[in-house]
Amino acid sequence: MNDMTQAAVQPDNAAAPRRSVADVEALFALPFNDLLFQAQTVHRAHFDPNTVQLSTLCSIKTGGCSEDCGYCPQAARYDTGIENQGLMNLEDVLAAARAAKAAGASRFCMGAAWRGPKQRDLDPVLDMVRAVRALGLETCATLGMLKDGQAEQLKDAGLDYYNHNLDTAPEFYGDIITTRAYQDRLDTLNRVRNADIHVCCGGIVGLGESLTQRAGLIAQLAALDPQPESVPINLLVQVEGTPLANTPPLDHLEFVRTIAVARICLPKSFVRLSAGRQSMSDATQALCFLAGANSIFYGEKLLTTGNPEWARDQQLFESLGLRAL
Ligand code: SAM
Ligand code: DTB
Ligand code: SF4
């Protein structure tokens, strides 16, 4: 079964049992209540259902990126009004990390708008990782593609997680990004895994993908072996000036379904309700938690776009009886 629509492309070193795209599509086709019941059942077998892990993002280098990811406000080639900013200094990053910890985050995720880091970029980031870790926070970085040896340097500095997304199904990928290949992403993920750093890998929905392609993304993530520890599911934030700004918005219940299917196919992973929360009602977010989401980005900004205020999330957690991990 080498047809891409039927089976997930395997990374070079993978031997995981496959869940075919058709199997994943069948989950999407279940009646909503049956799907959520199955997802919540799987969730309860592996996690405390009332606990959610909180990560705070910090854009350590913003805008001016050479890549052409069709969703991204930070690509230099799109006129999105983002103000480019060079690498933040260590003290400012530490101040943001202290604030995140004080607000209740357990992990601090540093994001840079790079195709990938050059060595002279990586050195100051290693200092940031060491310093943030010394505050007692878990560390995460998302810096683009890694070359041989870079993941090991990040590991030595104390990096706990590396975020690098597959973003969408292989057969739709070329419609969204042309400046790097799907296999480049799998190669970076392998480097991260081989350096013994936890893998944070997910995707975006609402890009105009078909249901089969949405299922294809989940099948692909589920085929990573071992499965990623953390799986961010982003709902496209439509940013004026990007090629995808006018994509018809995905129905929020379809997003909830995507979370549920991810939970079922990646039973032991933290499934992160990621970008797009600001546009969601409390009721939609509650359904996402019921569907098995058990981590969020916490803090008033994602990288460049908005996210719910700390206080709104604290109220939501209180009303749902959720606790931060
Ligand atoms: N430049 C690095 C890279 O591409 O790997 C790291 C940062 S990049 C902004 C991290 C992820 O953010 C992307 O892979 C994508 O999944 C997500 N993302 C970017 N723009 C988004 C948007 N407008 N809506 C939802 N998710 C978005
Ligand atoms: C991920 O999957 N989502 C986060 C994080 N990893 C780096 C980023 C979302 C970015 C949303 C658009 C922005 O704020 O620029
Ligand atoms: Fe650059 Fe990352 Fe945005 Fe792509 S997603 S344009 S690589 S910052």
Side-chain angles (χ1 to χ4, degrees), residues 65-69 71-75 112-115 180 185:
C65 183
S66 62
E67 303 300 277
D68 71 349
C69 311
Y71 47 75
C72 185
Q74 302 198 71
W114 287 321
R115 174 176 166 82
R180 61 173 81 164
R185 294 192 180 246

Side-chain angles (χ1 to χ4, degrees), residues 260-296:
V261 172
R263 164 51 65 225
I264 293 165
C265 297
L266 295 120
K268 296 184 181 169
S269 306
F270 278 81
V271 174
R272 185 178 307 275
L273 164 54
S274 303
R277 271 200 316 123
Q278 206 179 26
S279 69
M280 291 177 200
S281 66
D282 285 0
T284 297
Q285 293 185 62
L287 283 174
C288 289
F289 294 126
L290 190 66
N294 61 347
S295 61
I296 58 169

Side-chain angles (χ1 to χ4, degrees), residues 65 69 71-74 111-115 142-145 163-165 167 180 185 203-204 234-239 275 303:
C65 183
C69 311
Y71 47 75
C72 185
Q74 302 198 71
W114 287 321
R115 174 176 166 82
T142 181
L143 314 172
M145 293 189 284
N163 167 241
H164 197 65
N165 292 336
D167 275 347
R180 61 173 81 164
R185 294 192 180 246
I204 316 185
N234 296 279
L235 176 64
L236 175 69
V237 179
Q238 293 171 277
V239 180
L303 291 172

